PDB file of all heavy atoms in Angstrom:
ATOM      1  N   LEU T  75     -13.413 223.574 124.477  1.00  0.00           N
ATOM      2  CA  LEU T  75     -12.418 224.490 125.004  1.00  0.00           C
ATOM      3  C   LEU T  75     -12.729 225.880 124.485  1.00  0.00           C
ATOM      4  O   LEU T  75     -12.847 226.083 123.283  1.00  0.00           O
ATOM      5  CB  LEU T  75     -11.014 224.060 124.543  1.00  0.00           C
ATOM      6  CG  LEU T  75      -9.856 224.946 124.970  1.00  0.00           C
ATOM      7  CD1 LEU T  75      -9.663 224.864 126.474  1.00  0.00           C
ATOM      8  CD2 LEU T  75      -8.591 224.517 124.253  1.00  0.00           C
ATOM      9  N   ILE T  76     -12.887 226.828 125.398  1.00  0.00           N
ATOM     10  CA  ILE T  76     -13.166 228.211 125.007  1.00  0.00           C
ATOM     11  C   ILE T  76     -11.877 229.015 124.956  1.00  0.00           C
ATOM     12  O   ILE T  76     -11.635 229.761 124.015  1.00  0.00           O
ATOM     13  CB  ILE T  76     -14.181 228.850 125.973  1.00  0.00           C
ATOM     14  CG1 ILE T  76     -15.512 228.110 125.872  1.00  0.00           C
ATOM     15  CG2 ILE T  76     -14.365 230.328 125.670  1.00  0.00           C
ATOM     16  CD1 ILE T  76     -16.511 228.484 126.930  1.00  0.00           C
ATOM     17  N   ASP T  77     -11.031 228.827 125.949  1.00  0.00           N
ATOM     18  CA  ASP T  77      -9.768 229.562 126.032  1.00  0.00           C
ATOM     19  C   ASP T  77      -8.701 228.797 125.254  1.00  0.00           C
ATOM     20  O   ASP T  77      -8.261 227.731 125.664  1.00  0.00           O
ATOM     21  CB  ASP T  77      -9.344 229.715 127.493  1.00  0.00           C
ATOM     22  CG  ASP T  77      -8.104 230.572 127.660  1.00  0.00           C
ATOM     23  OD1 ASP T  77      -7.439 230.881 126.651  1.00  0.00           O
ATOM     24  OD2 ASP T  77      -7.801 230.929 128.813  1.00  0.00           O
ATOM     25  N   THR T  78      -8.295 229.328 124.110  1.00  0.00           N
ATOM     26  CA  THR T  78      -7.335 228.622 123.264  1.00  0.00           C
ATOM     27  C   THR T  78      -5.901 229.110 123.437  1.00  0.00           C
ATOM     28  O   THR T  78      -5.050 228.863 122.580  1.00  0.00           O
ATOM     29  CB  THR T  78      -7.740 228.732 121.774  1.00  0.00           C
ATOM     30  OG1 THR T  78      -7.819 230.113 121.430  1.00  0.00           O
ATOM     31  CG2 THR T  78      -9.065 228.038 121.529  1.00  0.00           C
ATOM     32  N   ASP T  79      -5.632 229.782 124.556  1.00  0.00           N
ATOM     33  CA  ASP T  79      -4.236 230.118 124.848  1.00  0.00           C
ATOM     34  C   ASP T  79      -3.457 228.817 125.023  1.00  0.00           C
ATOM     35  O   ASP T  79      -4.028 227.749 125.244  1.00  0.00           O
ATOM     36  CB  ASP T  79      -4.145 230.966 126.117  1.00  0.00           C
ATOM     37  CG  ASP T  79      -4.669 232.387 125.903  1.00  0.00           C
ATOM     38  OD1 ASP T  79      -4.662 232.859 124.743  1.00  0.00           O
ATOM     39  OD2 ASP T  79      -5.097 233.013 126.900  1.00  0.00           O
ATOM     40  N   GLU T  80      -2.146 228.920 124.971  1.00  0.00           N
ATOM     41  CA  GLU T  80      -1.296 227.725 124.940  1.00  0.00           C
ATOM     42  C   GLU T  80      -1.515 226.783 126.128  1.00  0.00           C
ATOM     43  O   GLU T  80      -1.682 225.578 125.950  1.00  0.00           O
ATOM     44  CB  GLU T  80       0.174 228.136 124.865  1.00  0.00           C
ATOM     45  CG  GLU T  80       1.091 226.952 124.674  1.00  0.00           C
ATOM     46  CD  GLU T  80       2.541 227.362 124.493  1.00  0.00           C
ATOM     47  OE1 GLU T  80       2.804 228.504 124.082  1.00  0.00           O
ATOM     48  OE2 GLU T  80       3.396 226.519 124.778  1.00  0.00           O
ATOM     49  N   ALA T  81      -1.513 227.287 127.348  1.00  0.00           N
ATOM     50  CA  ALA T  81      -1.629 226.417 128.525  1.00  0.00           C
ATOM     51  C   ALA T  81      -2.985 225.706 128.591  1.00  0.00           C
ATOM     52  O   ALA T  81      -3.025 224.475 128.772  1.00  0.00           O
ATOM     53  CB  ALA T  81      -1.365 227.204 129.802  1.00  0.00           C
ATOM     54  N   PRO T  82      -4.118 226.403 128.446  1.00  0.00           N
ATOM     55  CA  PRO T  82      -5.403 225.690 128.472  1.00  0.00           C
ATOM     56  C   PRO T  82      -5.542 224.696 127.317  1.00  0.00           C
ATOM     57  O   PRO T  82      -6.080 223.606 127.487  1.00  0.00           O
ATOM     58  CB  PRO T  82      -6.451 226.793 128.360  1.00  0.00           C
ATOM     59  CG  PRO T  82      -5.761 228.043 128.727  1.00  0.00           C
ATOM     60  CD  PRO T  82      -4.316 227.851 128.401  1.00  0.00           C
ATOM     61  N   ARG T  83      -5.034 225.068 126.142  1.00  0.00           N
ATOM     62  CA  ARG T  83      -5.110 224.154 124.990  1.00  0.00           C
ATOM     63  C   ARG T  83      -4.292 222.897 125.261  1.00  0.00           C
ATOM     64  O   ARG T  83      -4.740 221.782 124.992  1.00  0.00           O
ATOM     65  CB  ARG T  83      -4.633 224.858 123.719  1.00  0.00           C
ATOM     66  CG  ARG T  83      -4.840 224.001 122.464  1.00  0.00           C
ATOM     67  CD  ARG T  83      -4.447 224.708 121.193  1.00  0.00           C
ATOM     68  NE  ARG T  83      -3.008 224.953 121.171  1.00  0.00           N
ATOM     69  CZ  ARG T  83      -2.443 226.153 121.169  1.00  0.00           C
ATOM     70  NH1 ARG T  83      -3.180 227.232 121.162  1.00  0.00           N
ATOM     71  NH2 ARG T  83      -1.125 226.281 121.161  1.00  0.00           N
ATOM     72  N   ALA T  84      -3.093 223.049 125.814  1.00  0.00           N
ATOM     73  CA  ALA T  84      -2.260 221.883 126.136  1.00  0.00           C
ATOM     74  C   ALA T  84      -2.948 220.993 127.173  1.00  0.00           C
ATOM     75  O   ALA T  84      -2.924 219.763 127.052  1.00  0.00           O
ATOM     76  CB  ALA T  84      -0.893 222.333 126.636  1.00  0.00           C
ATOM     77  N   ALA T  85      -3.562 221.596 128.181  1.00  0.00           N
ATOM     78  CA  ALA T  85      -4.281 220.818 129.203  1.00  0.00           C
ATOM     79  C   ALA T  85      -5.472 220.083 128.590  1.00  0.00           C
ATOM     80  O   ALA T  85      -5.726 218.909 128.907  1.00  0.00           O
ATOM     81  CB  ALA T  85      -4.739 221.736 130.333  1.00  0.00           C
ATOM     82  N   PHE T  86      -6.191 220.740 127.707  1.00  0.00           N
ATOM     83  CA  PHE T  86      -7.347 220.141 127.035  1.00  0.00           C
ATOM     84  C   PHE T  86      -6.905 218.938 126.199  1.00  0.00           C
ATOM     85  O   PHE T  86      -7.499 217.857 126.279  1.00  0.00           O
ATOM     86  CB  PHE T  86      -8.035 221.185 126.149  1.00  0.00           C
ATOM     87  CG  PHE T  86      -9.163 220.646 125.337  1.00  0.00           C
ATOM     88  CD1 PHE T  86     -10.388 220.363 125.919  1.00  0.00           C
ATOM     89  CD2 PHE T  86      -9.018 220.439 123.973  1.00  0.00           C
ATOM     90  CE1 PHE T  86     -11.437 219.877 125.164  1.00  0.00           C
ATOM     91  CE2 PHE T  86     -10.062 219.949 123.209  1.00  0.00           C
ATOM     92  CZ  PHE T  86     -11.275 219.662 123.808  1.00  0.00           C
ATOM     93  N   LEU T  87      -5.851 219.104 125.422  1.00  0.00           N
ATOM     94  CA  LEU T  87      -5.372 218.005 124.585  1.00  0.00           C
ATOM     95  C   LEU T  87      -4.838 216.858 125.434  1.00  0.00           C
ATOM     96  O   LEU T  87      -5.034 215.683 125.098  1.00  0.00           O
ATOM     97  CB  LEU T  87      -4.319 218.512 123.600  1.00  0.00           C
ATOM     98  CG  LEU T  87      -4.880 219.428 122.509  1.00  0.00           C
ATOM     99  CD1 LEU T  87      -3.752 220.046 121.699  1.00  0.00           C
ATOM    100  CD2 LEU T  87      -5.856 218.673 121.616  1.00  0.00           C
ATOM    101  N   TRP T  88      -4.178 217.172 126.563  1.00  0.00           N
ATOM    102  CA  TRP T  88      -3.736 216.116 127.470  1.00  0.00           C
ATOM    103  C   TRP T  88      -4.940 215.331 127.983  1.00  0.00           C
ATOM    104  O   TRP T  88      -4.916 214.101 128.044  1.00  0.00           O
ATOM    105  CB  TRP T  88      -2.949 216.698 128.647  1.00  0.00           C
ATOM    106  CG  TRP T  88      -2.520 215.615 129.598  1.00  0.00           C
ATOM    107  CD1 TRP T  88      -1.379 214.889 129.551  1.00  0.00           C
ATOM    108  CD2 TRP T  88      -3.282 215.115 130.710  1.00  0.00           C
ATOM    109  NE1 TRP T  88      -1.359 213.964 130.573  1.00  0.00           N
ATOM    110  CE2 TRP T  88      -2.524 214.077 131.299  1.00  0.00           C
ATOM    111  CE3 TRP T  88      -4.520 215.431 131.259  1.00  0.00           C
ATOM    112  CZ2 TRP T  88      -2.970 213.365 132.400  1.00  0.00           C
ATOM    113  CZ3 TRP T  88      -4.968 214.717 132.367  1.00  0.00           C
ATOM    114  CH2 TRP T  88      -4.186 213.690 132.921  1.00  0.00           C
ATOM    115  N   MET T  89      -6.015 216.043 128.350  1.00  0.00           N
ATOM    116  CA  MET T  89      -7.216 215.401 128.866  1.00  0.00           C
ATOM    117  C   MET T  89      -7.827 214.467 127.815  1.00  0.00           C
ATOM    118  O   MET T  89      -8.167 213.320 128.120  1.00  0.00           O
ATOM    119  CB  MET T  89      -8.240 216.457 129.288  1.00  0.00           C
ATOM    120  CG  MET T  89      -9.530 215.883 129.826  1.00  0.00           C
ATOM    121  SD  MET T  89     -10.734 217.165 130.227  1.00  0.00           S
ATOM    122  CE  MET T  89     -10.999 217.905 128.634  1.00  0.00           C
ATOM    123  N   ILE T  90      -7.943 214.926 126.580  1.00  0.00           N
ATOM    124  CA  ILE T  90      -8.504 214.085 125.517  1.00  0.00           C
ATOM    125  C   ILE T  90      -7.623 212.852 125.309  1.00  0.00           C
ATOM    126  O   ILE T  90      -8.125 211.721 125.220  1.00  0.00           O
ATOM    127  CB  ILE T  90      -8.643 214.876 124.201  1.00  0.00           C
ATOM    128  CG1 ILE T  90      -9.635 216.039 124.360  1.00  0.00           C
ATOM    129  CG2 ILE T  90      -9.045 213.954 123.050  1.00  0.00           C
ATOM    130  CD1 ILE T  90     -11.069 215.642 124.587  1.00  0.00           C
ATOM    131  N   HIS T  91      -6.315 213.050 125.252  1.00  0.00           N
ATOM    132  CA  HIS T  91      -5.389 211.929 125.079  1.00  0.00           C
ATOM    133  C   HIS T  91      -5.550 210.924 126.212  1.00  0.00           C
ATOM    134  O   HIS T  91      -5.580 209.700 125.980  1.00  0.00           O
ATOM    135  CB  HIS T  91      -3.948 212.459 125.011  1.00  0.00           C
ATOM    136  CG  HIS T  91      -2.972 211.443 124.553  1.00  0.00           C
ATOM    137  ND1 HIS T  91      -2.261 210.656 125.428  1.00  0.00           N
ATOM    138  CD2 HIS T  91      -2.599 211.070 123.307  1.00  0.00           C
ATOM    139  CE1 HIS T  91      -1.488 209.842 124.736  1.00  0.00           C
ATOM    140  NE2 HIS T  91      -1.665 210.076 123.460  1.00  0.00           N
ATOM    141  N   HIS T  92      -5.686 211.406 127.432  1.00  0.00           N
ATOM    142  CA  HIS T  92      -5.869 210.547 128.605  1.00  0.00           C
ATOM    143  C   HIS T  92      -7.180 209.753 128.502  1.00  0.00           C
ATOM    144  O   HIS T  92      -7.207 208.548 128.793  1.00  0.00           O
ATOM    145  CB  HIS T  92      -5.837 211.387 129.880  1.00  0.00           C
ATOM    146  CG  HIS T  92      -5.977 210.598 131.128  1.00  0.00           C
ATOM    147  ND1 HIS T  92      -5.003 209.729 131.582  1.00  0.00           N
ATOM    148  CD2 HIS T  92      -6.995 210.537 132.016  1.00  0.00           C
ATOM    149  CE1 HIS T  92      -5.418 209.162 132.700  1.00  0.00           C
ATOM    150  NE2 HIS T  92      -6.621 209.628 132.983  1.00  0.00           N
ATOM    151  N   VAL T  93      -8.244 210.396 128.088  1.00  0.00           N
ATOM    152  CA  VAL T  93      -9.538 209.714 127.945  1.00  0.00           C
ATOM    153  C   VAL T  93      -9.440 208.627 126.875  1.00  0.00           C
ATOM    154  O   VAL T  93      -9.976 207.524 127.049  1.00  0.00           O
ATOM    155  CB  VAL T  93     -10.661 210.732 127.626  1.00  0.00           C
ATOM    156  CG1 VAL T  93     -11.935 210.043 127.194  1.00  0.00           C
ATOM    157  CG2 VAL T  93     -10.927 211.616 128.836  1.00  0.00           C
ATOM    158  N   LEU T  94      -8.749 208.903 125.774  1.00  0.00           N
ATOM    159  CA  LEU T  94      -8.552 207.886 124.737  1.00  0.00           C
ATOM    160  C   LEU T  94      -7.778 206.693 125.303  1.00  0.00           C
ATOM    161  O   LEU T  94      -8.157 205.540 125.077  1.00  0.00           O
ATOM    162  CB  LEU T  94      -7.815 208.482 123.539  1.00  0.00           C
ATOM    163  CG  LEU T  94      -8.580 209.532 122.728  1.00  0.00           C
ATOM    164  CD1 LEU T  94      -7.667 210.191 121.710  1.00  0.00           C
ATOM    165  CD2 LEU T  94      -9.805 208.935 122.062  1.00  0.00           C
ATOM    166  N   GLU T  95      -6.716 206.958 126.056  1.00  0.00           N
ATOM    167  CA  GLU T  95      -5.937 205.880 126.662  1.00  0.00           C
ATOM    168  C   GLU T  95      -6.773 205.064 127.643  1.00  0.00           C
ATOM    169  O   GLU T  95      -6.633 203.844 127.715  1.00  0.00           O
ATOM    170  CB  GLU T  95      -4.713 206.439 127.371  1.00  0.00           C
ATOM    171  CG  GLU T  95      -3.616 206.887 126.438  1.00  0.00           C
ATOM    172  CD  GLU T  95      -2.424 207.468 127.178  1.00  0.00           C
ATOM    173  OE1 GLU T  95      -2.582 207.975 128.314  1.00  0.00           O
ATOM    174  OE2 GLU T  95      -1.316 207.423 126.600  1.00  0.00           O
ATOM    175  N   GLN T  96      -7.650 205.731 128.398  1.00  0.00           N
ATOM    176  CA  GLN T  96      -8.512 205.019 129.344  1.00  0.00           C
ATOM    177  C   GLN T  96      -9.441 204.041 128.643  1.00  0.00           C
ATOM    178  O   GLN T  96      -9.877 203.059 129.245  1.00  0.00           O
ATOM    179  CB  GLN T  96      -9.352 206.000 130.159  1.00  0.00           C
ATOM    180  CG  GLN T  96      -8.598 206.697 131.249  1.00  0.00           C
ATOM    181  CD  GLN T  96      -9.523 207.570 132.065  1.00  0.00           C
ATOM    182  OE1 GLN T  96     -10.380 208.272 131.524  1.00  0.00           O
ATOM    183  NE2 GLN T  96      -9.376 207.506 133.374  1.00  0.00           N
ATOM    184  N   ARG T  97      -9.750 204.299 127.396  1.00  0.00           N
ATOM    185  CA  ARG T  97     -10.610 203.409 126.626  1.00  0.00           C
ATOM    186  C   ARG T  97      -9.802 202.304 125.949  1.00  0.00           C
ATOM    187  O   ARG T  97     -10.328 201.538 125.159  1.00  0.00           O
ATOM    188  CB  ARG T  97     -11.409 204.184 125.563  1.00  0.00           C
ATOM    189  CG  ARG T  97     -12.389 205.212 126.097  1.00  0.00           C
ATOM    190  CD  ARG T  97     -13.344 204.608 127.111  1.00  0.00           C
ATOM    191  NE  ARG T  97     -14.413 205.489 127.506  1.00  0.00           N
ATOM    192  CZ  ARG T  97     -14.330 206.432 128.433  1.00  0.00           C
ATOM    193  NH1 ARG T  97     -13.186 206.657 129.064  1.00  0.00           N
ATOM    194  NH2 ARG T  97     -15.368 207.161 128.765  1.00  0.00           N
ATOM    195  N   GLY T  98      -8.507 202.228 126.235  1.00  0.00           N
ATOM    196  CA  GLY T  98      -7.656 201.185 125.677  1.00  0.00           C
ATOM    197  C   GLY T  98      -7.058 201.521 124.330  1.00  0.00           C
ATOM    198  O   GLY T  98      -6.463 200.662 123.684  1.00  0.00           O
ATOM    199  N   ILE T  99      -7.190 202.750 123.904  1.00  0.00           N
ATOM    200  CA  ILE T  99      -6.699 203.143 122.589  1.00  0.00           C
ATOM    201  C   ILE T  99      -5.205 203.409 122.651  1.00  0.00           C
ATOM    202  O   ILE T  99      -4.727 204.159 123.501  1.00  0.00           O
ATOM    203  CB  ILE T  99      -7.461 204.380 122.071  1.00  0.00           C
ATOM    204  CG1 ILE T  99      -8.928 204.018 121.875  1.00  0.00           C
ATOM    205  CG2 ILE T  99      -6.841 204.912 120.787  1.00  0.00           C
ATOM    206  CD1 ILE T  99      -9.831 205.186 121.591  1.00  0.00           C
ATOM    207  N   SER T 100      -4.484 202.750 121.747  1.00  0.00           N
ATOM    208  CA  SER T 100      -3.052 202.975 121.594  1.00  0.00           C
ATOM    209  C   SER T 100      -2.716 202.753 120.127  1.00  0.00           C
ATOM    210  O   SER T 100      -3.534 202.230 119.362  1.00  0.00           O
ATOM    211  CB  SER T 100      -2.250 202.017 122.472  1.00  0.00           C
ATOM    212  OG  SER T 100      -2.282 200.717 121.929  1.00  0.00           O
ATOM    213  N   ALA T 101      -1.518 203.099 119.744  1.00  0.00           N
ATOM    214  CA  ALA T 101      -1.081 202.923 118.358  1.00  0.00           C
ATOM    215  C   ALA T 101      -0.946 201.445 117.991  1.00  0.00           C
ATOM    216  O   ALA T 101      -0.881 201.105 116.813  1.00  0.00           O
ATOM    217  CB  ALA T 101       0.241 203.641 118.136  1.00  0.00           C
ATOM    218  N   ALA T 102      -0.945 200.558 118.977  1.00  0.00           N
ATOM    219  CA  ALA T 102      -0.723 199.134 118.732  1.00  0.00           C
ATOM    220  C   ALA T 102      -1.917 198.439 118.082  1.00  0.00           C
ATOM    221  O   ALA T 102      -1.750 197.368 117.490  1.00  0.00           O
ATOM    222  CB  ALA T 102      -0.370 198.431 120.043  1.00  0.00           C
ATOM    223  N   ARG T 103      -3.110 199.018 118.215  1.00  0.00           N
ATOM    224  CA  ARG T 103      -4.307 198.375 117.652  1.00  0.00           C
ATOM    225  C   ARG T 103      -5.085 199.350 116.795  1.00  0.00           C
ATOM    226  O   ARG T 103      -5.172 200.536 117.118  1.00  0.00           O
ATOM    227  CB  ARG T 103      -5.214 197.866 118.774  1.00  0.00           C
ATOM    228  CG  ARG T 103      -4.648 196.634 119.460  1.00  0.00           C
ATOM    229  CD  ARG T 103      -5.519 196.144 120.574  1.00  0.00           C
ATOM    230  NE  ARG T 103      -6.852 195.761 120.161  1.00  0.00           N
ATOM    231  CZ  ARG T 103      -7.828 195.502 121.043  1.00  0.00           C
ATOM    232  NH1 ARG T 103      -7.611 195.598 122.336  1.00  0.00           N
ATOM    233  NH2 ARG T 103      -9.023 195.164 120.623  1.00  0.00           N
ATOM    234  N   PRO T 104      -5.679 198.843 115.710  1.00  0.00           N
ATOM    235  CA  PRO T 104      -6.536 199.709 114.895  1.00  0.00           C
ATOM    236  C   PRO T 104      -7.748 200.156 115.702  1.00  0.00           C
ATOM    237  O   PRO T 104      -8.132 199.510 116.686  1.00  0.00           O
ATOM    238  CB  PRO T 104      -6.980 198.814 113.738  1.00  0.00           C
ATOM    239  CG  PRO T 104      -6.313 197.507 113.915  1.00  0.00           C
ATOM    240  CD  PRO T 104      -5.609 197.487 115.224  1.00  0.00           C
ATOM    241  N   VAL T 105      -8.350 201.249 115.269  1.00  0.00           N
ATOM    242  CA  VAL T 105      -9.548 201.777 115.921  1.00  0.00           C
ATOM    243  C   VAL T 105     -10.614 201.998 114.854  1.00  0.00           C
ATOM    244  O   VAL T 105     -10.321 202.517 113.773  1.00  0.00           O
ATOM    245  CB  VAL T 105      -9.264 203.120 116.638  1.00  0.00           C
ATOM    246  CG1 VAL T 105     -10.541 203.700 117.232  1.00  0.00           C
ATOM    247  CG2 VAL T 105      -8.210 202.940 117.712  1.00  0.00           C
ATOM    248  N   VAL T 106     -11.835 201.586 115.160  1.00  0.00           N
ATOM    249  CA  VAL T 106     -12.983 201.876 114.307  1.00  0.00           C
ATOM    250  C   VAL T 106     -13.963 202.674 115.156  1.00  0.00           C
ATOM    251  O   VAL T 106     -14.329 202.256 116.250  1.00  0.00           O
ATOM    252  CB  VAL T 106     -13.656 200.596 113.777  1.00  0.00           C
ATOM    253  CG1 VAL T 106     -14.925 200.949 112.994  1.00  0.00           C
ATOM    254  CG2 VAL T 106     -12.687 199.798 112.911  1.00  0.00           C
ATOM    255  N   VAL T 107     -14.365 203.827 114.645  1.00  0.00           N
ATOM    256  CA  VAL T 107     -15.257 204.735 115.358  1.00  0.00           C
ATOM    257  C   VAL T 107     -16.597 204.784 114.637  1.00  0.00           C
ATOM    258  O   VAL T 107     -16.646 204.780 113.404  1.00  0.00           O
ATOM    259  CB  VAL T 107     -14.663 206.165 115.403  1.00  0.00           C
ATOM    260  CG1 VAL T 107     -15.550 207.090 116.204  1.00  0.00           C
ATOM    261  CG2 VAL T 107     -13.255 206.149 115.951  1.00  0.00           C
TER     262      VAL T 107
END
Side-chain angles (χ1 to χ4, degrees):
L75 178 68
I76 296 170
D77 185 349
T78 58
D79 288 336
E80 186 176 337
R83 186 177 66 244
F86 175 76
L87 291 172
W88 179 89
M89 179 183 62
I90 297 293
H91 192 267
H92 182 69
V93 168
L94 293 171
E95 286 179 334
Q96 283 184 317
R97 297 306 188 277
I99 296 170
S100 74
R103 287 179 60 191
V105 176
V106 175
V107 183

